[in-house]
C-alpha cells in the first residue's frame, strides 16, 4: 500500500511526469494482464534505461531474474517487515512462545529473531534479482538506517558482506555509484555479448509465468484424444 500511495502522491505533484521524461517507468500492477504488459515494456526498454516500482514480497522482488543489463541498480526503501497480523506469523509466534520445537536448532529461537531473519531473507531475495551469474554485476541501495544494525548486517548474504559500504545523508552516493560502474566497464565487453539473448529468454520465461493452457480431463477411452480446457503452465526458472 505504501508504494501505491507514494506513486499516487508523485502523480499528483507532477514528479511522476518528470521521472518519465528521463526514463521509462513501469509500476507493478495487481491486474495480471496489466502486469504482463508492464514487464514486456520494461524488458524492451531496459537497455535504454527503465525503472520498475515493485512491492517487496511480490513476484518481481522474488520470482523473476533480471540478469545483466535488465537490472544494474536495486533500491530498497525501508525494511520490508511482514505484517505481524498475518495468520501464519501469528501461529509461528504462538508456537515459539509456547516452547514447541519448530526446528532442529539446539537453542530455542525467539519470535523476534525469527521475524528479523525472515525479513532479511526477503531483502536478500530482492538484492539477488540483479546478480545472476559470475560475470554479472550491479549495485543495491538499502535506504534505511536499520540496515546498519549488527543483526541486520549479519543476516545479509555472505557474498554481499565484503561489498557493504555505509553512507550518511551528507555522502555523495551518486559519485560513488558512478565510480562503481566505471570500475566495472570492462565486464560489459563480456556481458553485452549475451544481452539480447538474455532479454529474449527472460521475456519468454515471464510470458510462460503468466500464460495458461487447457487442462486435459481424465481419459475414459485411450482411443479418444483429450478435450481442450485451461490449465496453468508450470513455472520455468530464469536462465542463469
Amino acid at each position: 500500500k505504501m508504494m501505491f500511495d507514494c506513486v499516487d502522491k508523485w502523480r499528483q505533484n507532477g514528479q511522476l511526469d518528470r521521472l518519465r521524461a528521463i526514463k521509462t517507468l513501469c509500476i507493478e500492477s495487481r491486474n495480471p494482464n496489466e502486469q504482463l504488459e508492464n514487464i514486456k515494456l520494461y524488458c524492451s526498454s531496459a537497455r535504454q534505461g527503465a525503472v520498475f516500482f515493485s512491492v517487496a514480497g511480490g513476484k518481481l522482488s522474488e520470482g523473476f531474474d533480471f540478469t545483466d543489463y535488465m537490472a544494474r541498480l536495486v533500491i530498497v526503501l525501508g525494511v520490508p517487515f511482514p505484517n505481524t497480523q498475518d495468520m501464519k506469523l501469528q501461529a509461528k509466534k504462538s508456537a515459539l512462545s509456547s516452547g514447541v520445537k519448530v526446528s532442529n536448532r539446539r537453542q530455542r529461537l525467539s519470535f523476534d529473531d525469527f521475524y528479523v531473519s525472515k525479513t532479511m531473507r526477503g531483502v536478500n531475495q530482492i538484492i539477488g534479482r540483479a546478480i545472476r551469474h559470475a560475470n554479472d554485476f550491479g549495485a543495491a541501495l538499502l535506504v534505511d538506517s536499520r540496515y546498519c544494525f549488527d543483526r541486520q548486517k549479519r543476516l545479509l548474504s555472505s557474498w554481499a558482506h565484503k561489498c557493504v559500504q555505509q553512507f550518511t545523508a551528507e555522502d555523495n552516493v551518486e559519485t560513488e555509484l558512478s565510480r562503481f560502474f566505471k570500475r566495472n566497464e570492462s565486464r560489459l565487453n563480456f556481458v553485452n555479448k549475451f544481452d539480447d539473448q538474455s532479454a529474449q529468454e527472460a521475456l519468454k520465461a515471464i510470458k510462460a509465468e503468466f500464460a495458461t493452457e487447457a487442462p486435459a480431463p481424465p481419459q475414459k477411452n485411450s482411443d479418444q484424444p483429450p478435450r481442450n480446457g485451461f490449465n496453468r503452465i508450470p513455472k520455468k526458472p530464469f536462465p542463469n
Side-chain angles (χ1 to χ4, degrees), residues 105-123:
R105 290 172 176 265
R106 292 182 179 178
Q107 186 177 1
R108 182 178 296 178
L109 181 70
S110 71
F111 176 75
D112 187 47
D113 288 337
F114 165 79
Y115 188 56
V116 174
S117 178
K118 178 178 176 64
T119 301
M120 292 306 296
R121 280 200 300 272
V123 172

Side-chain angles (χ1 to χ4, degrees), residues 41-56:
L41 175 61
Y42 178 83
C43 289
S44 62
S45 307
R47 187 189 291 276
Q48 291 74 34
V51 178
F52 211 131
F53 292 100
S54 65
V55 179

Side-chain angles (χ1 to χ4, degrees), residues 13-106:
N13 63 22
Q15 183 64 31
L16 214 58
D17 291 331
R18 288 191 287 273
L19 289 171
R20 281 201 172 100
I22 302 171
K23 291 184 181 292
T24 299
L25 291 189
C26 302
I27 302 169
E28 186 168 4
S29 173
R30 298 184 179 97
N31 183 294
N33 293 327
E34 290 180 4
Q35 181 71 333
L36 178 57
E37 292 304 314
N38 287 334
I39 295 174
K40 289 161 83 173
L41 175 61
Y42 178 83
C43 289
S44 62
S45 307
R47 187 189 291 276
Q48 291 74 34
V51 178
F52 211 131
F53 292 100
S54 65
V55 179
K59 279 191 174 182
L60 286 183
S61 67
E62 297 183 3
F64 293 133
D65 298 345
F66 295 96
T67 187
D68 298 332
Y69 75 94
M70 301 290 286
R72 292 296 184 204
L73 176 63
V74 175
I75 302 175
V76 185
L77 297 178
V79 182
F81 287 108
N83 183 0
T84 54
Q85 300 306 309
D86 178 81
M87 292 182 64
K88 290 182 179 179
L89 273 180
Q90 288 289 322
K92 188 77 171 183
K93 183 177 182 179
S94 177
L96 290 171
S97 300
S98 64
V100 175
K101 188 175 181 181
V102 294
S103 70
N104 293 324
R105 290 172 176 265
R106 292 182 179 178

Side-chain angles (χ1 to χ4, degrees), residues 129-144:
R129 296 308 91 203
I131 311 294
R132 303 311 305 164
H133 57 78
N135 288 287
D136 201 357
F137 68 92
L141 297 181
L142 306 180
V143 188
D144 195 297

